[in-house]
């Protein structure tokens, strides 16, 4: 396996063309190939591109954040959340270590709180407009650490 560090600008939109995220207002994002720093469906399609190339890349939900799992929508009695109360959009970590997930409150009724443990981008096909700004070999230190260093990479 050859390890390379690829830097790129991206604009991420959903099916409706709504911009979900973009690197354009900051420095390009840098990742090391084979390090699982970005979603697999994007890495597969980006790894063969050369510096300076620009491409529209579609990543289906299954190769991005996975399909939505309706079993991750759970309801809890409201009084479990105590006096301070709970609001739509609040986030909680639940579960054991590796299995831990972030649950987001999606509904609050008089008696119940509904939480969703799906990633906010689960079930969505993602559309990336990508511009490769740099491609270089990874340093031995980066290979040891398992991530890219330098501009747009991991800061220690
Ligand atoms: Zn490092």
């Amino acid at each position: 396996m050859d390890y390379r560090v690829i830097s790129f600008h991206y604009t991420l939109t959903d099916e409706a063309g709504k911009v979900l995220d973009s690197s354009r207002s900051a420095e390009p994002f840098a990742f090391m190939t084979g390090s699982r720093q970005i979603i697999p469906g994007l890495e597969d399609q980006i790894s063969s591109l050369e510096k300076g190339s620009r491409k529209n890349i579609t990543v289906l939900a299954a190769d991005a954040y996975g399909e939505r799992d309706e079993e991750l929508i759970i309801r809890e009695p409201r009084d479990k959340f105590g006096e301070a109360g709970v609001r739509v959009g609040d986030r909680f970590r639940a579960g054991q270590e590796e299995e831990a997930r972030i649950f987001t409150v999606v509904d609050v009724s008089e008696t119940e709180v509904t939480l969703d443990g799906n990633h906010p981008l689960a079930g969505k096909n993602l559309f990336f407009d990508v511009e490769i700004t740099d491609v270089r070999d990874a340093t031995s230190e980066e290979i040891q650490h398992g991530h890219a260093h330098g501009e747009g990479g991991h800061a220690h």
Side-chain angles (χ1 to χ4, degrees):
M1 164 118 216
D2 70 318
Y3 292 97
R4 281 165 299 133
V5 171
I6 299 175
S7 303
F8 66 102
H9 269 305
Y10 66 93
T11 299
L12 167 62
T13 51
D14 66 11
E15 210 113 24
K18 182 182 160 207
V19 175
L20 301 175
D21 193 14
S22 176
S23 65
R24 288 284 173 185
S25 58
E27 60 193 14
F29 183 82
F31 77 99
M32 186 171 73
T33 56
S35 63
R36 297 175 175 269
Q37 279 184 277
I38 62 173
I39 54 174
L42 182 59
E43 177 164 345
D44 286 350
Q45 297 186 68
I46 233 178
S47 294
S48 57
L49 299 179
E50 287 168 16
K51 180 176 176 174
S53 54
R54 190 157 185 171
K55 195 180 178 194
N56 289 307
I57 293 175
T58 300
V59 181
L60 298 178
D63 297 320
Y65 293 94
E67 302 293 348
R68 283 185 59 79
D69 180 353
E70 298 309 316
E71 289 188 7
L72 291 174
I73 296 174
I74 56 172
R75 290 179 181 79
E76 298 278 5
R78 186 167 177 175
D79 54 21
K80 208 175 150 181
F81 292 84
E83 287 297 310
V86 60
R87 304 217 310 244
V88 169
D90 285 353
R91 305 178 124 220
F92 299 93
R93 177 177 284 275
Q96 307 292 321
E97 303 181 3
E98 303 269 295
E99 302 276 292
R101 293 186 161 271
I102 303 289
F103 284 81
T104 305
V105 175
V106 293
D107 193 50
V108 180
S109 77
E110 231 152 86
T111 54
E112 267 186 347
V113 175
T114 307
L115 300 123
D116 186 350
N118 286 288
H119 188 282
L121 294 178
K124 291 193 170 154
N125 298 330
L126 304 179
F127 302 86
F128 292 89
D129 172 6
V130 161
E131 182 184 358
I132 308 297
T133 58
D134 194 41
V135 178
R136 62 172 171 82
D137 291 331
T139 65
S140 53
E141 190 183 51
E142 286 172 322
I143 293 167
Q144 259 179 16
H145 287 202
H147 53 231
H149 290 160
E151 195 172 305
H154 202 278
H156 289 283

